[in-house]
Amino acid sequence: MEIIIGIILLITYFGLIYFAAKGGNLMIGFAFMAVIWVALSIFGGQLTWNDAMVNIFQGGPESWGPTAVIVIFGSWFGRILIETDIASTLIKKTTELGGDNPIWTTILLTIVTGIIFTSTFGAGAVVAIGVIILPILMSLGVPKVLAVTSYLMSVGSGMYVNIVLFKQMQAIFNGFEYDWTYLRFGFSAMAIQLAVIILMLVVRMRKGATHAWAARADSLVVEKKRDEVPGIALITPLIPVALAIFLGWQPIPAFIVASVFGLAVTGKLPNYAAGSRLITRTFYDGVVDVASLLGFLFILPMFNKVAGVAAPFFEAIIGGAIPQSTLGLALMFMIAAPLGYFRGPLTVFGAGAATIGVINSIGSFSPQLLFPLMYIPTITMNLSTGPTQSWNLWALNYSKVSVKDFLKSGVPWAWLIAVLNIAVAYFMFG
């Protein structure tokens, strides 16, 4: 009986991968999978309906309530950076610092983008900053597809230490904390991704730049009329991360303090009425930016919980297929890293949640290793260079770059980053 149910579970698992790769609605897909796996677990004697109702269908979404709130506050903070012109001023100052050297300016913009997204989260922020940076990159002579690839990979680099994204993963890996145990890896992985992006820019701009960088500074989008913000305001994107790391603050108080600081020093709180309207509007916009993500986050834990219940069925089928050593597991992830694309089995925002359940069911690997191993393809392959990620799709449509050209541009470099970061994760946690 266990073998038969295990086979059916595997068939549905591969069906989910196919459904995700074809662009299916993941919220609906995971809801459907949760119902099927609950039914099979009840039939196999691993679960009762009452337990399923209380612990999976009710308890699953409830368990991710705190994570959802953090996502909302992180998205709101992103809106604050945009509304106050802090983000645009950072980009402008960076462009001025780069002077007439297009490669140097592009490298600086890459680093600044990564820093901004260490704390900023949400498709709205990626879009709002992208409409500033992408025209600048193209005006500097960066080929269109390379400009898009480098910008999106720069956004992804900051996600390695972004507490909002971390909290979403933390809900799957209980007990893994946002502290120096993780941040040693997080900052190392961010640095590696930025270094590879810079290498990619240097190599490809020297080979194939279009030499359009004679464009004058006054033609750049960043030079449009914008309010100059005080220099002190430019530290705002770093405040949430600094408070979390050095003072041990929780993310919501850190986002609130950073947001109020940004609003205050840029003069956006002239009086109570104006400040109230601005905060309400930006908070609303922040929620809208992540609304579809929240739906996915509330359904995903249903599936995560039932995947743990179904573990014995997987053990009976593929118990010997997963490497039992940490080195073997790391090598498997290096080779299979591109399976993070198209919502595949190595991205949490796809079929990866099922993969975690399968690996946990048949192995004894620590969360300290599994967390970064799954995080790397999720960030570097899916979020940074995956055409199914919402903000990546926006960038492709905005710049008129084809999916084929985008993949050809980003996949080799993203795979290199994944291999390097998996090696770092193995030596730190394996």
Side-chain angles (χ1 to χ4, degrees), residues 35-47:
V35 171
I36 292 176
W37 284 29
V38 162
L40 290 170
S41 297
I42 291 174
F43 184 74
Q46 294 292 328
L47 189 66

Side-chain angles (χ1 to χ4, degrees), residues 176-188:
F176 202 81
E177 299 299 328
Y178 189 82
D179 55 21
W180 279 115
T181 301
Y182 168 75
L183 287 171
R184 285 187 309 121
F185 166 76
F187 281 113
S188 299

Side-chain angles (χ1 to χ4, degrees), residues 21 47 58 83 109 124 180 197 202-203 267 296 356 363 371 381 395 415:
L47 189 66
Q58 179 73 23
E83 185 71 26
L109 286 172
W180 279 115
I197 297 168
V202 171
V203 169
F296 173 73
I356 294 170
F371 186 105
M381 312 306 267
W415 200 345

Side-chain angles (χ1 to χ4, degrees), residues 368-382:
Q368 283 70 27
L369 177 63
L370 278 179
F371 186 105
L373 287 185
M374 186 59 69
Y375 214 24
I376 291 164
T378 296
I379 292 176
T380 296
M381 312 306 267
N382 181 55

Side-chain angles (χ1 to χ4, degrees), residues 159-179:
M159 294 296 169
Y160 276 106
V161 293
N162 188 294
I163 196 168
V164 178
L165 187 63
F166 181 93
K167 286 293 182 179
Q168 295 174 48
M169 284 287 288
Q170 189 184 43
I172 301 174
F173 293 91
N174 292 326
F176 202 81
E177 299 299 328
Y178 189 82
D179 55 21

Side-chain angles (χ1 to χ4, degrees), residues 58 68 75 114 294 328 354 366 395 422:
Q58 179 73 23
S75 183
L294 292 176
S366 69
I422 289 169

